[in-house]
Amino acid sequence: MTTRMRADVRDTPLSVDETLASVRRPGAGGLAVFVGVVRDESVGRVVTRLEYSAYASMAKREMERIADEIESEIEGVRVAAMHRTGSLEVGDAAVICAASAPHRAEAFRACRELIDRIKSRVPVWKREIGPDGAAWVGWEDARCGPAHNHGHDH
């Protein structure tokens, strides 16, 4: 049996089907999916494209750690997530989170926890490109918390 994909960071288009396939199982009656896409504005600035960069192996490891936590906290849940890097157009999927559980309440809860923890802890940086030029976004979001810093600057 192949090992289940629970986290991936890639520079190619993300797949909802692939993310869902990794959490599906006969006992799970509820599947929840969150797709984060590039939008055409941010805090009043027009955005034409976003560039995501990450230290892929570290980002993937942290996403796997988050998946472990959620699967141990919420009984009967399986989760998986993919994050995109590189240059994305408006409408492209930047992140996909999926969760399965016997019932919908746990699936929704696990999916929400997954995206919230990824946003707050995974080292991915984004640069917005628009008619006014380019700008890095949300350095305060991109920095890992003190528990994960271990004395290294990012």
Side-chain angles (χ1 to χ4, degrees):
M1 190 186 134
T2 56
T3 56
R4 188 164 68 80
M5 187 282 294
R6 287 190 314 158
D8 198 20
V9 177
R10 57 173 70 167
D11 60 5
T12 54
L14 305 181
S15 163
V16 169
D17 288 344
E18 190 184 338
T19 314
L20 269 177
S22 63
V23 298
R24 266 183 200 279
R25 63 192 195 282
L31 299 174
V33 183
F34 171 80
V35 183
V37 298
V38 177
R39 61 179 188 274
D40 64 0
E41 68 86 38
S42 173
V43 203
R45 287 181 73 239
V46 174
V47 173
T48 51
R49 131 184 111 75
L50 280 184
E51 286 174 1
Y52 284 90
S53 52
Y55 178 20
S57 62
M58 184 186 282
K60 186 176 172 182
R61 209 160 44 240
E62 186 64 15
M63 284 164 65
E64 283 168 350
R65 193 175 292 134
I66 290 166
D68 276 342
E69 289 170 8
I70 293 168
E71 289 181 358
S72 65
E73 287 166 23
I74 308 172
E75 197 177 335
V77 157
R78 265 191 199 170
V79 295
M82 289 186 183
H83 210 301
R84 176 97 185 259
T85 56
S87 184
L88 280 72
E89 306 290 321
V90 170
D92 285 347
V95 63
I96 298 175
C97 294
S100 71
H103 306 286
R104 68 182 179 275
E106 290 78 13
F108 275 122
R109 188 173 137 223
C111 194
R112 179 166 199 140
E113 278 298 317
L114 187 56
I115 187 57
D116 287 351
R117 293 183 200 187
I118 286 171
K119 290 282 286 184
S120 70
R121 286 168 41 189
V122 175
V124 173
W125 298 275
K126 84 181 166 182
R127 200 162 163 247
E128 291 174 347
I129 294 99
D132 309 333
W136 288 100
V137 183
W139 286 104
E140 69 283 355
D141 293 334
R143 283 197 303 258
C144 287
H148 300 281
N149 196 349
H150 304 302
H152 300 298
D153 288 324
H154 295 291

